[in-house]
Amino acid sequence: MKTTLFSLLCFLAVVTSSSAQEKKFSAYAIGFYNLENLFDTQHDEGKLDEDFLPSGSYKWDSIKYTNKLHNMAQALSDMATTKLPKVGCAVIGVSEVENDHVLKDLCAQPALAARGYRYAHIEGPDLRGIDCALLYNPALFTIENTTLYPYVQHLKDNPNFITRGFLAVTGTLAGERMTFIVCHLPSRGNGPAYREQGASEVKALKDSILKSDPQRKLIVMGDMNDDPTNKSMYDCLGAKESPAKVGDGDMFNPWYNIIKDGKGTLFYKGGWNLFDQIILSPNLVNRNNERDYSSLKFWKNEVQRMPYLFQTEGAYKGSPKRTTAGGEWLNGYSDHLPVVVYLLKQQ
């Protein structure tokens, strides 16, 4: 669909020695958001979802579910509108979604249906029943295939450990072949070795994909349950803090310096963590200070801080407004904030 990508055009002036020339660029937003327990009200056989039933601890009924869908759709549709107000994100990775049913209901919400969002999802083995998925605007991103790669447990202390896999979605964005790997690494309660193993498995998957197709652009995104400075991200995945430090086998992590400045995506015990990250393959980055946007390249990134996402009063004032806290239904959003990166390509 060619409509000059609606209002996606960014105009940058490049001055040469002889005259001023205007170059036109198309901008594309890639987002990630942990939706914090987007469950329906029905029991899924074999899943530990009893808390999210009308009889469960959260008293999760149709009213709460409907409000949760509305709130999530509002936040998702507002992502990237600071730069692309009429278009928002081309692609959004999400975590903590229960099944196809909730994704279908989510995409049917007016705020998302207006842009025609669709989803890619494969049911995973997580015992709680929470999966990763990819929302996408089919006018901007065309899907080729979707594969769920399992988290393979190698740690001997818990050989039967089961968790979410890695959802890899390949398609075409701006005429270029891209793969998005959506992750939700094991929780902090399991210890760092589990996340380090998961990050190493993601790196192996990334390396395998790029070995078979070196020209492909690749993005790893997700709730990593670790900060960019932790071993899982920096060493195991090889996600470096600056383009100059990105080797051919590494990735670029634009969130590293944001957490160093004390900013993040979730608030815990008086401080911010930045578990929600979007990490880019070397061919998406200008590594040598060049300004080559003849193909898709990283432009900028931001944590999405829409005012309605925050608690405005009480003990948790200033932290993300959750759906439920302390046993009380707050009709909020998530304990995480969304994140976005912008890519540019010269027209």
Side-chain angles (χ1 to χ4, degrees), residues 116-161:
Y117 276 106
R118 299 177 186 173
Y119 67 88
H121 167 255
I122 296 175
E123 186 71 25
D126 185 83
L127 296 178
R128 284 187 59 216
I130 55 173
D131 297 328
C132 295
L134 190 81
L135 307 182
Y136 65 98
N137 183 336
L140 302 175
F141 180 67
T142 303
I143 283 189
E144 178 183 322
N145 59 66
T146 303
T147 306
L148 182 65
Y149 294 89
Y151 177 104
V152 180
Q153 172 66 310
H154 299 294
L155 299 173
K156 296 179 180 179
D157 66 322
N158 190 1
N160 298 317
F161 180 76

Side-chain angles (χ1 to χ4, degrees), residues 243-244 285-292:
V285 183
N286 282 316
R287 288 191 278 173
N288 299 310
N289 293 321
E290 68 268 27
R291 299 181 64 84
D292 177 13

Side-chain angles (χ1 to χ4, degrees), residues 170-227:
T170 297
T172 302
L173 178 71
E176 300 184 32
R177 199 162 185 237
M178 291 195 67
T179 293
F180 298 95
I181 302 174
V182 189
C183 311
H184 187 179
L185 295 186
S187 71
R188 290 216 145 186
N190 292 300
Y194 289 80
R195 294 184 300 283
E196 290 162 12
Q197 176 182 296
S200 296
E201 292 181 14
V202 173
K203 184 181 189 304
L205 173 58
K206 178 265 297 183
D207 289 344
S208 175
I209 292 171
L210 294 183
K211 183 178 180 180
S212 67
D213 183 5
Q215 301 306 311
R216 193 182 314 188
K217 305 291 178 70
L218 189 146
I219 284 178
V220 173
M221 66 171 88
D223 176 357
M224 307 304 184
N225 271 309
D226 262 338
D227 288 323

Side-chain angles (χ1 to χ4, degrees), residues 35-63:
L35 304 187
E36 193 194 15
N37 297 324
L38 180 55
F39 283 83
D40 60 23
T41 62
Q42 306 298 316
H43 175 57
D44 285 2
E45 189 67 30
K47 301 297 184 180
L48 303 178
D49 60 359
E50 287 80 4
D51 285 342
F52 290 91
L53 299 176
S55 60
S57 62
Y58 290 105
K59 307 297 181 184
W60 195 247
D61 57 22
S62 60
I63 293 175

Side-chain angles (χ1 to χ4, degrees), residues 7-123:
S7 300
L8 283 171
L9 305 184
C10 299
F11 300 101
L12 304 179
V14 178
V15 180
T16 67
S17 58
S18 57
S19 63
Q21 295 179 332
E22 185 181 77
K23 293 184 178 182
K24 296 180 180 179
F25 299 80
S26 294
Y28 302 84
I30 310 300
F32 175 79
Y33 194 17
N34 180 326
L35 304 187
E36 193 194 15
N37 297 324
L38 180 55
F39 283 83
D40 60 23
T41 62
Q42 306 298 316
H43 175 57
D44 285 2
E45 189 67 30
K47 301 297 184 180
L48 303 178
D49 60 359
E50 287 80 4
D51 285 342
F52 290 91
L53 299 176
S55 60
S57 62
Y58 290 105
K59 307 297 181 184
W60 195 247
D61 57 22
S62 60
I63 293 175
K64 293 178 180 178
Y65 176 54
T66 299
N67 277 271
K68 177 74 170 179
L69 289 170
H70 174 270
N71 291 350
M72 292 294 90
Q74 178 187 12
L76 289 162
S77 65
D78 282 346
M79 290 172 63
T81 55
T82 55
K83 303 291 186 297
L84 305 173
K86 294 184 179 181
V87 181
C89 286
V91 168
I92 308 173
V94 295
S95 65
E96 296 200 18
V97 294
E98 185 183 18
N99 50 34
D100 266 16
H101 177 212
V102 301
L103 287 162
K104 182 179 179 180
D105 287 350
L106 181 64
C107 289
Q109 294 294 302
L112 298 182
R115 295 201 186 120
Y117 276 106
R118 299 177 186 173
Y119 67 88
H121 167 255
I122 296 175
E123 186 71 25

